[in-house]
Amino acid sequence: MTRELIAGVVSSLLAVLFVESYLRLRRGLSKRSLRLALGRPSSVAVVASVFPAKVESSSVPLMGTHDAYAMAHILTAYRAVGVQPSLVSASVLPDGLDDDLVCIGGPIVNSLTRAHMDLFCAPFRRVDAEDDGVLKPPVYRCGEHEFVDTRDRAWGFIVKLTPQLTGRVHTTLLVWGSGAVGTSGASYFLAELHRALPRSRRESFFVAVPVQRAVGYKGVSTAIVDLSADVWPGGGLAPPAGQVEPVTERAGHHDPYV
């Protein structure tokens, strides 16, 4: 009886030890995957978008609801790998940013996103008329792919620009969407489903993330569209000359389905 009791206790302890070891290994692999997706950062500046995009002396810069969701997921992701981000605004950028960068929000509301897209991701372009006075979602095209938000689906984009591409010392991430839901969906994907992203620290990537609106911004699909080869046909390893500079933001950012 005593021998059976001891055997049962030992079996229970071994089972607990096995489960705990498995959970630790899983957490470690998840953290490693996240660090690779983020570029193994040691310090990072998160550049928030502003609304209205054009800030006049009499206007107050604001952050939209879904951009706030996106910010929360981004901060959580970096804190999970032991990095405390600093926060800056796209409307008031400090001189000499010397950290990894994360730009939240698309080219319309974040000048630094637009500058990086123009310099390093030129094959991905907006193809609809921007100032025709009609409220409608923007249309983006890259290679054979076209992205436009509908009532059922939104699109988010995660762009990782490594030093091998930009010539900077640090990694830059652009996390945005063609509308507000796409931005928050892309941020959620980066924080929670990063294992589906390319895992090389030295590899730049550009992926499109579909979001099912009926489920909310967390209704992302792992059936992402990898646009990396379309955006950088040569592999994206030659750093262009010059330095990325913020550009004037475009006004009138709206998501007609929010």
Side-chain angles (χ1 to χ4, degrees):
M1 182 68 176
T2 303
R3 188 173 299 174
E4 293 177 353
L5 179 61
I6 293 175
V9 171
V10 171
S11 298
S12 299
L13 291 175
L14 289 176
V16 171
L17 181 61
F18 175 79
V19 171
E20 181 63 26
S21 299
Y22 168 76
L23 292 176
R24 285 189 178 185
L25 177 61
R26 185 172 180 177
R27 287 194 295 267
L29 290 175
S30 178
K31 184 178 290 188
R32 180 177 183 275
S33 172
L34 181 57
R35 286 188 66 86
L36 287 174
L38 299 177
R40 293 188 177 276
S42 57
S43 60
V44 62
V46 180
V47 184
S49 58
V50 293
F51 182 87
K54 186 176 182 180
V55 180
E56 307 287 354
S57 58
S58 59
S59 62
V60 178
L62 303 172
M63 177 180 287
T65 300
H66 281 276
D67 284 355
Y69 293 156
M71 175 73 75
H73 288 299
I74 295 297
L75 296 181
T76 299
Y78 277 95
R79 287 168 181 164
V81 297
V83 177
Q84 181 64 41
S86 60
L87 305 180
V88 296
S89 171
S91 62
V92 187
L93 290 173
D95 293 330
L97 281 175
D98 193 28
D99 303 291
D100 281 21
L101 293 178
V102 182
C103 300
I104 297 177
I108 299 174
V109 295
N110 192 319
S111 60
L112 205 55
T113 298
R114 184 180 183 185
H116 282 85
M117 290 294 296
D118 288 345
L119 279 173
F120 305 114
C121 308
F124 184 95
R125 61 192 187 279
R126 183 170 176 172
V127 296
D128 63 313
E130 299 179 24
D131 300 314
D132 57 4
V134 178
L135 185 61
K136 59 183 180 181
V139 181
Y140 295 97
R141 186 176 296 154
C142 185
E144 299 179 352
H145 304 280
E146 189 169 279
F147 304 95
V148 58
D149 283 7
T150 67
R151 294 188 180 277
D152 299 318
R153 184 175 62 185
W155 286 100
F157 306 101
I158 305 173
V159 186
K160 178 181 176 182
L161 305 174
T162 63
Q164 288 71 32
L165 173 64
T166 64
R168 294 185 70 239
V169 176
H170 303 286
T171 298
T172 300
L173 282 172
L174 314 177
V175 187
W176 61 286
S178 53
V181 173
T183 296
S184 51
S187 301
Y188 174 76
F189 192 100
L190 176 63
E192 302 295 335
L193 300 174
H194 45 82
R195 289 188 179 184
L197 295 169
R199 300 188 185 186
S200 170
R201 179 174 65 89
R202 296 171 63 86
E203 180 183 1
S204 297
F205 63 75
F206 194 129
V207 299
V209 180
V211 185
Q212 300 178 38
R213 288 183 178 275
V215 186
Y217 77 88
K218 293 184 179 181
V220 294
S221 169
T222 54
I224 59 178
V225 182
D226 192 342
L227 300 171
S228 305
D230 295 300
V231 177
W232 305 297
L237 295 180
Q243 181 180 2
V244 177
E245 296 289 349
V247 296
T248 304
E249 296 174 333
R250 285 172 282 181
H253 172 62
H254 299 284
D255 185 338
Y257 303 112
V258 176

